[in-house]
Amino acid sequence: MNSKAQIQLGESIFAVIIILFIIVFALVFYSGSQEREYTEQQKKFVDLESISLAQFVGTLPELGCSEREVRDLSCFDKTKLSAFVTTLKKHPLLTEEYYSTQLGTATIQIAEIYPDKKSWLLYNNSLNTSIANIRQVQKPISLLDSVTGKYSFGILYLTLYDRR
Amino acid sequence: MKKKGQSEIVGLVVIVIIISVALLFYVSSSVKGSSSTKKTIFRQYTNNELSASFTKAFIDTSVCSTTVDGLIYDCATTKQLRCDGKNSCAKLNDTLVNITNQTLDAWGYVYDLVITFPNEEVISVGSGKCTSGTVGRSPPSPYSIPLYPWVGTVRVELGICN
C-alpha cells in the first residue's frame, strides 16, 4: 500500500510538472506575440507621424504658391524659398524656435532638377547623437518663378530622424 | 478503480485541450504578424503620394513657351509646335526621359509611366515590369487631359511597384 501511494504521488507530481511546463510554454509564446504586436503598433505610429509631417510641410503658406488666394499644395514659390533661406540665416534663433516645435528632428531640402538645377536647405535639425533610424521621403513638386510665371520640376526631400 | 480511470482520462483531455489552444494561438499570431509586416503604411503612402505628385508636377512643368500639358495637347492634335528644333512629341519624350532619369531611375524605383493618346498610341518610360495588372502595383492616380475641341482625352498614368 505504501509503495502504491508513492507511485500515485509520483504520478500526481509528474502531471503537475507537465501542466506547469505547458503553462510556461504558452505564456512565453503569448508574451512573444504581444511584443511583436507592440513593435508593429509603435512602427505604425512613427509612420503616421512621418506622414503628417510630410503633409504639414506641403501646407506651409510662407513657402507655397497661390493664385487668386487659392493655395496649390504641390507648388512652392522660388522667390519665397530664397527669402525664407535668407531670413533663416539672418535670424536663426527666432525661426529655429518656431520651426523646431513644428517640425522636430528633420531635414527639409527643396531641389530644382528641370530645367535648371538649384537647391534650398529650408530646415536642418539632425540629431548629433543617438539616431536610431533615418527615413527619407521624396516628393515631386512644382516650383514657380513668380517673375516669369514659369514652372520648374523639383523635389522636396524630407529626412526624418528617429530617436534611439 | 473505475473512478480512477475516469479521472485520468479527464486529466488527459484537459492537457490535450491546453496544447490545442496554445498551438491555435501560436499559428494565428504568426499568420497575423507575417501579413501585417508585408507592406507598411509608410511605403503605401509614399508610393501613392509619389505617383500622384510626380504626375501633377510633370504636367505643370514649363517647356519652351508652353507646359508639358501643352506639349501633350499639341502632340495629340496638330503637331505644329516646335521646341529646341524638335516637334512636340519628341520634346515630350525627351523631357520625360530627362526627369525620370534624375528621379525615379536614380532612386531605384520599379515603375512604368505611360501616356496614352486617343488613337491608342503610347509614349512610355520605365522597366516594363510594372504595367497595369502587376501584383503589388500601387494604384496610380491617372491624370486626364481633355483635347477639346478635338475628340478624346490623353491619359497620363504612373504605376510604382516597389
mmCIF file of all heavy atoms in Angstrom, chain A residues 8 22 29-30 33 36-37 40 43 47 50-51 72 74 113 117 139-142 150-151 153 155, chain B residues 4 18 25-26 29 32 37 40-42 45 49-50 53-54 56-57 60 62 64 99 102-103 107:
data_model
loop_
_atom_site.group_PDB
_atom_site.id
_atom_site.type_symbol
_atom_site.label_atom_id
_atom_site.label_comp_id
_atom_site.label_asym_id
_atom_site.label_seq_id
_atom_site.Cartn_x
_atom_site.Cartn_y
_atom_site.Cartn_z
ATOM 1 N N GLN A 8 1.424 6.728 -6.856
ATOM 2 C CA GLN A 8 0.346 7.695 -7.153
ATOM 3 C C GLN A 8 0.813 9.135 -6.945
ATOM 4 O O GLN A 8 0.522 10.036 -7.741
ATOM 5 C CB GLN A 8 -0.863 7.397 -6.272
ATOM 6 C CG GLN A 8 -1.726 6.288 -6.852
ATOM 7 C CD GLN A 8 -2.953 6.005 -6.013
ATOM 8 O OE1 GLN A 8 -3.052 6.451 -4.862
ATOM 9 N NE2 GLN A 8 -3.883 5.254 -6.574
ATOM 10 N N ILE A 22 3.556 23.302 -19.638
ATOM 11 C CA ILE A 22 2.688 23.754 -20.741
ATOM 12 C C ILE A 22 2.266 25.209 -20.528
ATOM 13 O O ILE A 22 2.283 26.013 -21.460
ATOM 14 C CB ILE A 22 1.452 22.823 -20.865
ATOM 15 C CG1 ILE A 22 1.898 21.466 -21.402
ATOM 16 C CG2 ILE A 22 0.404 23.422 -21.794
ATOM 17 C CD1 ILE A 22 0.865 20.386 -21.277
ATOM 18 N N PHE A 29 5.063 32.069 -25.417
ATOM 19 C CA PHE A 29 4.556 32.357 -26.762
ATOM 20 C C PHE A 29 3.664 33.587 -26.770
ATOM 21 O O PHE A 29 3.755 34.432 -27.653
ATOM 22 C CB PHE A 29 3.766 31.160 -27.303
ATOM 23 C CG PHE A 29 4.640 30.208 -28.059
ATOM 24 C CD1 PHE A 29 4.735 28.886 -27.682
ATOM 25 C CD2 PHE A 29 5.385 30.646 -29.160
ATOM 26 C CE1 PHE A 29 5.549 28.008 -28.382
ATOM 27 C CE2 PHE A 29 6.196 29.777 -29.858
ATOM 28 C CZ PHE A 29 6.284 28.451 -29.460
ATOM 29 N N TYR A 30 2.824 33.689 -25.752
ATOM 30 C CA TYR A 30 1.885 34.822 -25.668
ATOM 31 C C TYR A 30 2.640 36.137 -25.554
ATOM 32 O O TYR A 30 2.370 37.089 -26.280
ATOM 33 C CB TYR A 30 0.958 34.619 -24.461
ATOM 34 C CG TYR A 30 -0.035 35.736 -24.284
ATOM 35 C CD1 TYR A 30 -1.123 35.842 -25.131
ATOM 36 C CD2 TYR A 30 0.123 36.687 -23.281
ATOM 37 C CE1 TYR A 30 -2.039 36.868 -24.986
ATOM 38 C CE2 TYR A 30 -0.777 37.722 -23.123
ATOM 39 C CZ TYR A 30 -1.861 37.804 -23.979
ATOM 40 O OH TYR A 30 -2.759 38.828 -23.841
ATOM 41 N N SER A 33 4.387 37.058 -28.838
ATOM 42 C CA SER A 33 3.492 37.590 -29.877
ATOM 43 C C SER A 33 3.011 38.996 -29.514
ATOM 44 O O SER A 33 2.847 39.855 -30.368
ATOM 45 C CB SER A 33 2.307 36.669 -30.110
ATOM 46 O OG SER A 33 1.463 36.706 -28.997
ATOM 47 N N ARG A 36 5.724 41.445 -30.361
ATOM 48 C CA ARG A 36 5.760 41.685 -31.812
ATOM 49 C C ARG A 36 4.649 42.658 -32.213
ATOM 50 O O ARG A 36 4.831 43.549 -33.023
ATOM 51 C CB ARG A 36 5.583 40.355 -32.541
ATOM 52 C CG ARG A 36 6.141 40.392 -33.953
ATOM 53 C CD ARG A 36 6.314 39.011 -34.537
ATOM 54 N NE ARG A 36 5.184 38.147 -34.312
ATOM 55 C CZ ARG A 36 5.262 36.844 -34.080
ATOM 56 N NH1 ARG A 36 6.430 36.287 -34.009
ATOM 57 N NH2 ARG A 36 4.186 36.108 -33.931
ATOM 58 N N GLU A 37 3.483 42.480 -31.590
ATOM 59 C CA GLU A 37 2.342 43.335 -31.912
ATOM 60 C C GLU A 37 2.607 44.782 -31.467
ATOM 61 O O GLU A 37 2.299 45.726 -32.187
ATOM 62 C CB GLU A 37 1.095 42.793 -31.216
ATOM 63 C CG GLU A 37 -0.182 43.159 -31.961
ATOM 64 C CD GLU A 37 -1.387 42.460 -31.355
ATOM 65 O OE1 GLU A 37 -1.323 41.228 -31.190
ATOM 66 O OE2 GLU A 37 -2.367 43.152 -31.041
ATOM 67 N N GLU A 40 4.969 46.444 -33.864
ATOM 68 C CA GLU A 40 4.251 46.817 -35.090
ATOM 69 C C GLU A 40 3.453 48.099 -34.874
ATOM 70 O O GLU A 40 3.450 48.988 -35.706
ATOM 71 C CB GLU A 40 3.288 45.685 -35.489
ATOM 72 C CG GLU A 40 3.977 44.518 -36.150
ATOM 73 C CD GLU A 40 4.461 44.846 -37.553
ATOM 74 O OE1 GLU A 40 3.686 45.443 -38.306
ATOM 75 O OE2 GLU A 40 5.612 44.529 -37.866
ATOM 76 N N LYS A 43 5.696 51.089 -34.746
ATOM 77 C CA LYS A 43 6.166 51.424 -36.088
ATOM 78 C C LYS A 43 5.068 52.181 -36.854
ATOM 79 O O LYS A 43 5.346 53.131 -37.573
ATOM 80 C CB LYS A 43 6.531 50.131 -36.820
ATOM 81 C CG LYS A 43 7.438 50.353 -37.991
ATOM 82 C CD LYS A 43 7.950 49.011 -38.492
ATOM 83 C CE LYS A 43 8.844 49.176 -39.698
ATOM 84 N NZ LYS A 43 8.244 49.888 -40.785
ATOM 85 N N ASP A 47 5.278 55.862 -38.436
ATOM 86 C CA ASP A 47 4.933 56.069 -39.849
ATOM 87 C C ASP A 47 3.900 57.177 -40.002
ATOM 88 O O ASP A 47 4.023 58.046 -40.859
ATOM 89 C CB ASP A 47 4.371 54.773 -40.455
ATOM 90 C CG ASP A 47 5.450 53.740 -40.672
ATOM 91 O OD1 ASP A 47 6.631 54.089 -40.525
ATOM 92 O OD2 ASP A 47 5.114 52.588 -40.977
ATOM 93 N N SER A 50 5.428 60.533 -39.551
ATOM 94 C CA SER A 50 6.182 60.940 -40.744
ATOM 95 C C SER A 50 5.238 61.467 -41.815
ATOM 96 O O SER A 50 5.520 62.471 -42.473
ATOM 97 C CB SER A 50 6.958 59.753 -41.321
ATOM 98 O OG SER A 50 7.618 59.065 -40.323
ATOM 99 N N ILE A 51 4.107 60.784 -41.976
ATOM 100 C CA ILE A 51 3.132 61.183 -42.995
ATOM 101 C C ILE A 51 2.568 62.564 -42.686
ATOM 102 O O ILE A 51 2.490 63.427 -43.558
ATOM 103 C CB ILE A 51 1.992 60.140 -43.089
ATOM 104 C CG1 ILE A 51 2.540 58.839 -43.690
ATOM 105 C CG2 ILE A 51 0.835 60.663 -43.921
ATOM 106 C CD1 ILE A 51 1.640 57.649 -43.508
ATOM 107 N N ASP A 72 -2.012 76.219 -53.988
ATOM 108 C CA ASP A 72 -1.715 74.966 -54.684
ATOM 109 C C ASP A 72 -0.755 74.176 -53.792
ATOM 110 O O ASP A 72 0.391 74.570 -53.594
ATOM 111 C CB ASP A 72 -1.081 75.282 -56.040
ATOM 112 C CG ASP A 72 -0.808 74.021 -56.844
ATOM 113 O OD1 ASP A 72 -0.937 72.925 -56.284
ATOM 114 O OD2 ASP A 72 -0.462 74.148 -58.036
ATOM 115 N N SER A 74 0.881 71.451 -54.080
ATOM 116 C CA SER A 74 2.067 70.770 -54.605
ATOM 117 C C SER A 74 3.005 71.757 -55.303
ATOM 118 O O SER A 74 3.832 71.356 -56.108
ATOM 119 C CB SER A 74 1.648 69.672 -55.584
ATOM 120 O OG SER A 74 0.950 70.251 -56.667
ATOM 121 N N ILE A 113 15.217 70.370 -60.396
ATOM 122 C CA ILE A 113 16.016 69.462 -61.240
ATOM 123 C C ILE A 113 15.784 69.664 -62.732
ATOM 124 O O ILE A 113 16.562 69.208 -63.552
ATOM 125 C CB ILE A 113 15.786 67.986 -60.868
ATOM 126 C CG1 ILE A 113 14.336 67.581 -61.062
ATOM 127 C CG2 ILE A 113 16.237 67.668 -59.479
ATOM 128 C CD1 ILE A 113 14.210 66.080 -61.225
ATOM 129 N N LYS A 117 19.169 73.701 -62.295
ATOM 130 C CA LYS A 117 19.492 72.961 -61.066
ATOM 131 C C LYS A 117 19.831 73.948 -59.955
ATOM 132 O O LYS A 117 20.721 74.780 -60.098
ATOM 133 C CB LYS A 117 20.661 72.018 -61.312
ATOM 134 C CG LYS A 117 20.236 70.802 -62.112
ATOM 135 C CD LYS A 117 21.306 69.765 -62.211
ATOM 136 C CE LYS A 117 20.791 68.500 -62.844
ATOM 137 N NZ LYS A 117 19.993 68.705 -64.049
ATOM 138 N N LYS A 139 9.283 63.982 -52.469
ATOM 139 C CA LYS A 139 8.000 64.341 -53.063
ATOM 140 C C LYS A 139 8.222 65.274 -54.263
ATOM 141 O O LYS A 139 8.741 66.382 -54.087
ATOM 142 C CB LYS A 139 7.135 65.031 -52.005
ATOM 143 C CG LYS A 139 5.727 65.271 -52.494
ATOM 144 C CD LYS A 139 4.923 66.088 -51.520
ATOM 145 C CE LYS A 139 3.552 66.358 -52.108
ATOM 146 N NZ LYS A 139 2.809 67.369 -51.391
ATOM 147 N N PRO A 140 7.854 64.838 -55.463
ATOM 148 C CA PRO A 140 7.960 65.724 -56.621
ATOM 149 C C PRO A 140 7.022 66.920 -56.459
ATOM 150 O O PRO A 140 5.870 66.753 -56.051
ATOM 151 C CB PRO A 140 7.523 64.838 -57.789
ATOM 152 C CG PRO A 140 7.727 63.448 -57.317
ATOM 153 C CD PRO A 140 7.423 63.488 -55.853
ATOM 154 N N ILE A 141 7.533 68.091 -56.782
ATOM 155 C CA ILE A 141 6.745 69.316 -56.622
ATOM 156 C C ILE A 141 6.954 70.233 -57.832
ATOM 157 O O ILE A 141 7.888 70.032 -58.608
ATOM 158 C CB ILE A 141 7.149 70.089 -55.342
ATOM 159 C CG1 ILE A 141 8.678 70.233 -55.292
ATOM 160 C CG2 ILE A 141 6.630 69.402 -54.091
ATOM 161 C CD1 ILE A 141 9.166 71.272 -54.347
ATOM 162 N N SER A 142 6.103 71.241 -57.952
ATOM 163 C CA SER A 142 6.300 72.278 -58.962
ATOM 164 C C SER A 142 6.926 73.481 -58.279
ATOM 165 O O SER A 142 6.596 73.789 -57.135
ATOM 166 C CB SER A 142 4.959 72.697 -59.548
ATOM 167 O OG SER A 142 4.408 71.651 -60.285
ATOM 168 N N LYS A 150 6.837 80.895 -64.952
ATOM 169 C CA LYS A 150 7.152 79.551 -65.436
ATOM 170 C C LYS A 150 7.313 78.565 -64.266
ATOM 171 O O LYS A 150 7.772 78.931 -63.191
ATOM 172 C CB LYS A 150 8.429 79.573 -66.272
ATOM 173 C CG LYS A 150 8.225 80.250 -67.616
ATOM 174 C CD LYS A 150 9.336 79.909 -68.576
ATOM 175 C CE LYS A 150 8.936 80.337 -69.979
ATOM 176 N NZ LYS A 150 9.842 79.867 -70.997
ATOM 177 N N TYR A 151 6.946 77.315 -64.547
ATOM 178 C CA TYR A 151 7.036 76.267 -63.532
ATOM 179 C C TYR A 151 8.202 75.336 -63.836
ATOM 180 O O TYR A 151 8.399 74.929 -64.981
ATOM 181 C CB TYR A 151 5.755 75.438 -63.511
ATOM 182 C CG TYR A 151 4.567 76.164 -62.925
ATOM 183 C CD1 TYR A 151 3.718 76.908 -63.730
ATOM 184 C CD2 TYR A 151 4.285 76.083 -61.567
ATOM 185 C CE1 TYR A 151 2.622 77.570 -63.187
ATOM 186 C CE2 TYR A 151 3.190 76.746 -61.018
ATOM 187 C CZ TYR A 151 2.365 77.485 -61.832
ATOM 188 O OH TYR A 151 1.285 78.134 -61.295
ATOM 189 N N PHE A 153 10.357 71.649 -62.505
ATOM 190 C CA PHE A 153 10.115 70.381 -61.804
ATOM 191 C C PHE A 153 11.115 70.292 -60.651
ATOM 192 O O PHE A 153 12.319 70.448 -60.852
ATOM 193 C CB PHE A 153 10.308 69.211 -62.773
ATOM 194 C CG PHE A 153 9.880 67.883 -62.222
ATOM 195 C CD1 PHE A 153 8.611 67.387 -62.490
ATOM 196 C CD2 PHE A 153 10.728 67.131 -61.419
ATOM 197 C CE1 PHE A 153 8.209 66.164 -61.978
ATOM 198 C CE2 PHE A 153 10.325 65.911 -60.902
ATOM 199 C CZ PHE A 153 9.057 65.420 -61.193
ATOM 200 N N ILE A 155 12.038 68.621 -56.402
ATOM 201 C CA ILE A 155 11.821 67.534 -55.436
ATOM 202 C C ILE A 155 11.927 68.094 -54.017
ATOM 203 O O ILE A 155 12.855 68.846 -53.713
ATOM 204 C CB ILE A 155 12.888 66.414 -55.601
ATOM 205 C CG1 ILE A 155 12.882 65.848 -57.026
ATOM 206 C CG2 ILE A 155 12.672 65.300 -54.589
ATOM 207 C CD1 ILE A 155 11.661 65.067 -57.404
ATOM 208 N N LYS B 4 -10.894 5.939 -10.876
ATOM 209 C CA LYS B 4 -9.529 6.392 -11.090
ATOM 210 C C LYS B 4 -9.231 6.530 -12.592
ATOM 211 O O LYS B 4 -8.633 7.503 -13.053
ATOM 212 C CB LYS B 4 -8.560 5.397 -10.444
ATOM 213 C CG LYS B 4 -7.162 5.964 -10.280
ATOM 214 C CD LYS B 4 -6.208 4.901 -9.830
ATOM 215 C CE LYS B 4 -4.789 5.420 -9.990
ATOM 216 N NZ LYS B 4 -3.849 4.329 -9.898
ATOM 217 N N ILE B 18 -5.433 22.082 -23.617
ATOM 218 C CA ILE B 18 -4.468 23.168 -23.383
ATOM 219 C C ILE B 18 -3.463 23.246 -24.532
ATOM 220 O O ILE B 18 -3.175 24.325 -25.065
ATOM 221 C CB ILE B 18 -3.746 22.981 -22.020
ATOM 222 C CG1 ILE B 18 -4.729 23.221 -20.867
ATOM 223 C CG2 ILE B 18 -2.565 23.939 -21.891
ATOM 224 C CD1 ILE B 18 -4.186 22.875 -19.505
ATOM 225 N N PHE B 25 -3.281 29.409 -30.904
ATOM 226 C CA PHE B 25 -2.869 30.782 -30.631
ATOM 227 C C PHE B 25 -1.567 31.114 -31.358
ATOM 228 O O PHE B 25 -1.434 32.157 -31.984
ATOM 229 C CB PHE B 25 -2.699 30.954 -29.114
ATOM 230 C CG PHE B 25 -2.351 32.347 -28.724
ATOM 231 C CD1 PHE B 25 -3.331 33.339 -28.684
ATOM 232 C CD2 PHE B 25 -1.050 32.685 -28.406
ATOM 233 C CE1 PHE B 25 -2.999 34.636 -28.341
ATOM 234 C CE2 PHE B 25 -0.714 33.975 -28.063
ATOM 235 C CZ PHE B 25 -1.688 34.949 -28.025
ATOM 236 N N TYR B 26 -0.625 30.170 -31.303
ATOM 237 C CA TYR B 26 0.684 30.397 -31.941
ATOM 238 C C TYR B 26 0.525 30.550 -33.456
ATOM 239 O O TYR B 26 1.079 31.474 -34.055
ATOM 240 C CB TYR B 26 1.610 29.221 -31.621
ATOM 241 C CG TYR B 26 2.909 29.281 -32.373
ATOM 242 C CD1 TYR B 26 3.851 30.264 -32.083
ATOM 243 C CD2 TYR B 26 3.203 28.359 -33.376
ATOM 244 C CE1 TYR B 26 5.043 30.338 -32.776
ATOM 245 C CE2 TYR B 26 4.393 28.424 -34.077
ATOM 246 C CZ TYR B 26 5.313 29.416 -33.770
ATOM 247 O OH TYR B 26 6.480 29.489 -34.468
ATOM 248 N N SER B 29 -1.260 33.891 -34.372
ATOM 249 C CA SER B 29 -0.420 35.075 -34.173
ATOM 250 C C SER B 29 0.683 35.148 -35.221
ATOM 251 O O SER B 29 1.028 36.226 -35.693
ATOM 252 C CB SER B 29 0.174 35.088 -32.773
ATOM 253 O OG SER B 29 1.141 34.073 -32.670
ATOM 254 N N LYS B 32 -0.901 36.359 -38.536
ATOM 255 C CA LYS B 32 -1.237 37.778 -38.437
ATOM 256 C C LYS B 32 0.014 38.645 -38.562
ATOM 257 O O LYS B 32 0.041 39.633 -39.275
ATOM 258 C CB LYS B 32 -1.901 38.029 -37.079
ATOM 259 C CG LYS B 32 -2.693 39.322 -37.012
ATOM 260 C CD LYS B 32 -3.490 39.338 -35.739
ATOM 261 C CE LYS B 32 -3.086 40.510 -34.882
ATOM 262 N NZ LYS B 32 -3.661 40.453 -33.557
ATOM 263 N N THR B 37 3.300 42.731 -41.702
ATOM 264 C CA THR B 37 4.616 43.299 -41.983
ATOM 265 C C THR B 37 4.911 43.363 -43.476
ATOM 266 O O THR B 37 5.939 43.895 -43.871
ATOM 267 C CB THR B 37 5.725 42.472 -41.297
ATOM 268 O OG1 THR B 37 5.507 41.101 -41.592
ATOM 269 C CG2 THR B 37 5.737 42.685 -39.814
ATOM 270 N N THR B 40 4.065 48.309 -45.134
ATOM 271 C CA THR B 40 3.764 49.255 -44.079
ATOM 272 C C THR B 40 2.952 50.415 -44.643
ATOM 273 O O THR B 40 2.904 50.620 -45.851
ATOM 274 C CB THR B 40 5.066 49.800 -43.471
ATOM 275 O OG1 THR B 40 5.749 50.493 -44.495
ATOM 276 C CG2 THR B 40 5.937 48.704 -42.925
ATOM 277 N N ILE B 41 2.338 51.143 -43.736
ATOM 278 C CA ILE B 41 1.562 52.323 -44.125
ATOM 279 C C ILE B 41 2.477 53.318 -44.834
ATOM 280 O O ILE B 41 2.113 53.921 -45.827
ATOM 281 C CB ILE B 41 0.991 53.015 -42.864
ATOM 282 C CG1 ILE B 41 0.020 52.093 -42.158
ATOM 283 C CG2 ILE B 41 0.308 54.324 -43.208
ATOM 284 C CD1 ILE B 41 -0.450 52.657 -40.832
ATOM 285 N N PHE B 42 3.681 53.425 -44.292
ATOM 286 C CA PHE B 42 4.640 54.393 -44.807
ATOM 287 C C PHE B 42 4.932 54.140 -46.282
ATOM 288 O O PHE B 42 4.911 55.050 -47.099
ATOM 289 C CB PHE B 42 5.922 54.287 -43.977
ATOM 290 C CG PHE B 42 6.908 55.375 -44.238
ATOM 291 C CD1 PHE B 42 6.652 56.667 -43.831
ATOM 292 C CD2 PHE B 42 8.093 55.102 -44.878
ATOM 293 C CE1 PHE B 42 7.562 57.668 -44.055
ATOM 294 C CE2 PHE B 42 9.021 56.101 -45.110
ATOM 295 C CZ PHE B 42 8.749 57.381 -44.693
ATOM 296 N N TYR B 45 1.896 54.874 -48.450
ATOM 297 C CA TYR B 45 1.672 56.312 -48.564
ATOM 298 C C TYR B 45 2.662 56.930 -49.537
ATOM 299 O O TYR B 45 2.281 57.679 -50.440
ATOM 300 C CB TYR B 45 1.810 56.981 -47.190
ATOM 301 C CG TYR B 45 1.865 58.494 -47.284
ATOM 302 C CD1 TYR B 45 0.708 59.241 -47.458
ATOM 303 C CD2 TYR B 45 3.078 59.161 -47.217
ATOM 304 C CE1 TYR B 45 0.759 60.614 -47.574
ATOM 305 C CE2 TYR B 45 3.146 60.539 -47.337
ATOM 306 C CZ TYR B 45 1.978 61.265 -47.503
ATOM 307 O OH TYR B 45 2.047 62.619 -47.625
ATOM 308 N N GLU B 49 1.549 58.704 -52.944
ATOM 309 C CA GLU B 49 1.830 60.140 -52.973
ATOM 310 C C GLU B 49 2.811 60.467 -54.096
ATOM 311 O O GLU B 49 2.638 61.452 -54.813
ATOM 312 C CB GLU B 49 2.408 60.550 -51.608
ATOM 313 C CG GLU B 49 2.714 62.008 -51.438
ATOM 314 C CD GLU B 49 1.489 62.897 -51.355
ATOM 315 O OE1 GLU B 49 0.383 62.369 -51.128
ATOM 316 O OE2 GLU B 49 1.654 64.116 -51.529
ATOM 317 N N LEU B 50 3.826 59.624 -54.232
ATOM 318 C CA LEU B 50 4.830 59.828 -55.277
ATOM 319 C C LEU B 50 4.183 59.773 -56.661
ATOM 320 O O LEU B 50 4.444 60.624 -57.508
ATOM 321 C CB LEU B 50 5.918 58.752 -55.158
ATOM 322 C CG LEU B 50 7.086 58.857 -56.136
ATOM 323 C CD1 LEU B 50 7.883 60.123 -55.901
ATOM 324 C CD2 LEU B 50 8.010 57.663 -56.005
ATOM 325 N N SER B 53 1.882 63.008 -57.054
ATOM 326 C CA SER B 53 2.592 64.283 -57.109
ATOM 327 C C SER B 53 3.550 64.346 -58.295
ATOM 328 O O SER B 53 3.754 65.418 -58.872
ATOM 329 C CB SER B 53 3.322 64.563 -55.799
ATOM 330 O OG SER B 53 4.130 63.485 -55.454
ATOM 331 N N PHE B 54 4.119 63.206 -58.686
ATOM 332 C CA PHE B 54 5.016 63.199 -59.849
ATOM 333 C C PHE B 54 4.232 63.581 -61.107
ATOM 334 O O PHE B 54 4.666 64.441 -61.875
ATOM 335 C CB PHE B 54 5.653 61.814 -60.037
ATOM 336 C CG PHE B 54 6.696 61.774 -61.125
ATOM 337 C CD1 PHE B 54 8.045 61.898 -60.813
ATOM 338 C CD2 PHE B 54 6.348 61.640 -62.456
ATOM 339 C CE1 PHE B 54 9.011 61.891 -61.807
ATOM 340 C CE2 PHE B 54 7.302 61.636 -63.455
ATOM 341 C CZ PHE B 54 8.640 61.756 -63.130
ATOM 342 N N LYS B 56 1.399 65.212 -61.395
ATOM 343 C CA LYS B 56 0.936 66.602 -61.328
ATOM 344 C C LYS B 56 2.083 67.577 -61.642
ATOM 345 O O LYS B 56 1.928 68.492 -62.457
ATOM 346 C CB LYS B 56 0.368 66.858 -59.924
ATOM 347 C CG LYS B 56 0.033 68.296 -59.585
ATOM 348 C CD LYS B 56 -1.318 68.698 -60.150
ATOM 349 C CE LYS B 56 -1.807 70.040 -59.625
ATOM 350 N NZ LYS B 56 -0.979 71.189 -59.986
ATOM 351 N N ALA B 57 3.245 67.367 -60.988
ATOM 352 C CA ALA B 57 4.387 68.272 -61.190
ATOM 353 C C ALA B 57 4.899 68.185 -62.625
ATOM 354 O O ALA B 57 5.277 69.200 -63.220
ATOM 355 C CB ALA B 57 5.501 67.924 -60.203
ATOM 356 N N ASP B 60 2.614 70.106 -65.066
ATOM 357 C CA ASP B 60 2.677 71.566 -64.897
ATOM 358 C C ASP B 60 4.001 72.186 -65.347
ATOM 359 O O ASP B 60 4.097 73.413 -65.473
ATOM 360 C CB ASP B 60 2.461 71.931 -63.409
ATOM 361 C CG ASP B 60 1.021 71.724 -62.979
ATOM 362 O OD1 ASP B 60 0.156 71.604 -63.864
ATOM 363 O OD2 ASP B 60 0.770 71.672 -61.759
ATOM 364 N N SER B 62 7.034 73.850 -67.123
ATOM 365 C CA SER B 62 7.132 74.701 -68.329
ATOM 366 C C SER B 62 8.238 74.187 -69.238
ATOM 367 O O SER B 62 9.346 73.886 -68.786
ATOM 368 C CB SER B 62 7.440 76.137 -67.927
ATOM 369 O OG SER B 62 6.410 76.643 -67.111
ATOM 370 N N CYS B 64 9.857 75.290 -73.082
ATOM 371 C CA CYS B 64 9.844 76.333 -74.124
ATOM 372 C C CYS B 64 8.755 77.363 -73.789
ATOM 373 O O CYS B 64 8.727 77.860 -72.683
ATOM 374 C CB CYS B 64 9.650 75.715 -75.502
ATOM 375 S SG CYS B 64 10.972 74.568 -75.932
ATOM 376 N N ILE B 99 13.628 63.874 -66.869
ATOM 377 C CA ILE B 99 13.139 63.984 -65.480
ATOM 378 C C ILE B 99 13.154 62.622 -64.771
ATOM 379 O O ILE B 99 13.597 62.528 -63.625
ATOM 380 C CB ILE B 99 11.726 64.616 -65.447
ATOM 381 C CG1 ILE B 99 11.820 66.098 -65.854
ATOM 382 C CG2 ILE B 99 11.100 64.492 -64.066
ATOM 383 C CD1 ILE B 99 10.490 66.804 -65.980
ATOM 384 N N GLN B 102 16.597 61.476 -63.570
ATOM 385 C CA GLN B 102 17.116 62.158 -62.363
ATOM 386 C C GLN B 102 16.319 61.828 -61.107
ATOM 387 O O GLN B 102 16.741 62.176 -60.003
ATOM 388 C CB GLN B 102 17.068 63.673 -62.573
ATOM 389 C CG GLN B 102 18.016 64.164 -63.638
ATOM 390 C CD GLN B 102 17.929 65.677 -63.763
ATOM 391 O OE1 GLN B 102 18.364 66.401 -62.876
ATOM 392 N NE2 GLN B 102 17.352 66.148 -64.840
ATOM 393 N N THR B 103 15.169 61.229 -61.265
ATOM 394 C CA THR B 103 14.325 60.967 -60.092
ATOM 395 C C THR B 103 14.080 59.464 -59.888
ATOM 396 O O THR B 103 14.818 58.814 -59.168
ATOM 397 C CB THR B 103 12.972 61.702 -60.232
ATOM 398 O OG1 THR B 103 12.387 61.372 -61.488
ATOM 399 C CG2 THR B 103 13.160 63.196 -60.164
ATOM 400 N N TRP B 107 16.510 56.838 -57.926
ATOM 401 C CA TRP B 107 16.090 56.313 -56.612
ATOM 402 C C TRP B 107 15.873 54.800 -56.637
ATOM 403 O O TRP B 107 15.531 54.211 -55.614
ATOM 404 C CB TRP B 107 14.791 56.997 -56.150
ATOM 405 C CG TRP B 107 14.881 58.487 -56.043
ATOM 406 C CD1 TRP B 107 16.001 59.221 -55.786
ATOM 407 C CD2 TRP B 107 13.809 59.433 -56.215
ATOM 408 N NE1 TRP B 107 15.692 60.557 -55.782
ATOM 409 C CE2 TRP B 107 14.354 60.728 -56.044
ATOM 410 C CE3 TRP B 107 12.453 59.321 -56.483
ATOM 411 C CZ2 TRP B 107 13.599 61.888 -56.132
ATOM 412 C CZ3 TRP B 107 11.695 60.485 -56.583
ATOM 413 C CH2 TRP B 107 12.255 61.741 -56.404
#
